[in-house]
Amino acid sequence: EAQVTQNPRYLITVTGKKLTVTCSQNMNHEYMSWYRQDPGLGLRQIYYSMNVEVTDKGDVPEGYKVSRKEKRNFPLILESPSPNQTSLYFCASSPVGAYEQYFGPGTRLTVT
Amino acid sequence: GDSVTQMEGPVTLSEEAFLTINCTYTATGYPSLFWYVQYPGEGLQLLLKATKADDKGSNKGFEATYRKETTSFHLEKGSVQVSDSAVYFCALRSSRNSGNTPLVFGKGTRLSVIA
């Protein structure tokens, strides 16, 4: 089944404790992206990647890192999480030039 | 920069009522326009799209027409069902760059349909 998977789905952590949210797609898509969803703000892009080893900042990259060492994986790294990073995070992928993006199920992160 | 404005929710309708969710956009050139739907506990799914002026996107009884003169892409459905309860996002992709330019989303409109 073609899909985008994210792990974990739910995470509660404390301020300053490094964490990684994984994202993997099995559709051989070149493009991958991370969004955060907050009430009243909709979805905002954090980082995106056009292909392996090619990443770029989105609208709200502060406090996040990404890497793209393999085509199928695009992990989101929070080196020192803070409470304002409490949010619902979505990973998405698509072929280059395609209109539709395929979204993962989301990761709900709470930083206390 | 590019932006999308959609009507504030929540919207509560009775089953079989007519639905309109307004969406207007600001962008240079000729963006592609989308409606995504998010069902409870799930990620976003593409509902419909339109890539040029006067195009009509349609899917599952939903329709939206790309109106360049009014920079709008309103979502409509003639008769909603309880299963349509979800959050609906209007989005655009700029035409300025080749490849995958980021999607710009509206803030979302929550629809609740009651039997």
Side-chain angles (χ1 to χ4, degrees):
Chain A
E1 179 189 355
Q3 59 183 347
V4 179
T5 56
Q6 297 178 224
N7 282 293
R9 294 289 312 278
Y10 302 91
L11 178 60
I12 301 174
T13 190
V14 296
T15 298
K17 185 177 181 181
K18 181 179 178 179
L19 66 91
T20 299
V21 183
T22 64
C23 173
S24 183
Q25 49 93 5
N26 62 1
M27 296 168 280
N28 202 36
H29 289 167
E30 293 83 4
Y31 179 88
M32 298 186 73
S33 178
W34 277 103
Y35 296 88
R36 60 178 288 175
Q37 183 181 14
D38 301 291
L41 296 177
L43 276 81
R44 295 177 291 168
Q45 190 178 51
I46 303 170
Y47 269 95
Y48 65 97
S49 169
M50 298 289 283
N51 213 325
V52 175
E53 302 291 2
V54 181
T55 63
D56 209 346
K57 296 177 180 179
D59 296 323
V60 288
E62 294 78 20
Y64 303 95
K65 286 176 55 178
V66 292
S67 68
R68 188 90 182 273
K69 293 183 172 22
E70 301 170 286
K71 197 172 187 180
R72 64 177 182 270
N73 296 325
F74 190 45
L76 179 69
I77 303 157
L78 284 71
E79 296 269 4
S80 182
S82 61
N84 65 11
Q85 293 178 299
T86 293
S87 187
L88 179 58
Y89 291 86
F90 288 100
C91 181
S93 74
S94 69
V96 171
Y99 292 112
E100 179 172 4
Q101 289 192 16
Y102 297 82
F103 283 79
T107 295
R108 185 166 293 282
L109 171 65
T110 302
V111 183
T112 61
Chain B
D2 298 344
S3 66
V4 174
T5 302
Q6 60 183 105
M7 63 187 286
E8 299 271 340
V11 174
T12 302
L13 295 174
S14 297
E15 210 166 21
E16 299 183 5
F18 184 86
L19 168 71
T20 300
I21 301 178
N22 290 337
C23 171
T24 57
Y25 67 90
T26 301
T28 55
Y30 298 89
S32 297
L33 302 174
F34 309 86
W35 277 100
Y36 277 80
V37 58
Q38 183 181 29
Y39 297 105
E42 298 183 12
L44 279 72
Q45 304 171 26
L46 180 66
L47 180 60
L48 53 85
K49 67 177 186 289
T51 58
K52 61 182 187 294
D54 299 325
D55 265 3
K56 177 184 283 188
S58 61
N59 186 25
K60 300 181 180 180
F62 291 89
E63 292 183 340
T65 301
Y66 189 146
R67 302 284 189 202
K68 187 157 179 64
E69 64 275 13
T70 55
T71 61
S72 65
F73 193 55
H74 305 321
L75 182 68
E76 297 181 335
K77 187 174 185 183
S79 177
V80 294
Q81 305 301 312
V82 172
S83 57
D84 294 326
S85 298
V87 181
Y88 292 82
F89 291 91
C90 186
L92 70 80
R93 170 172 284 150
S94 170
S95 61
R96 286 170 294 171
N97 300 321
S98 60
N100 285 87
T101 51
L103 284 169
V104 176
F105 286 91
K107 294 182 180 180
T109 302
R110 183 177 298 279
L111 170 67
S112 295
V113 181
I114 53 178

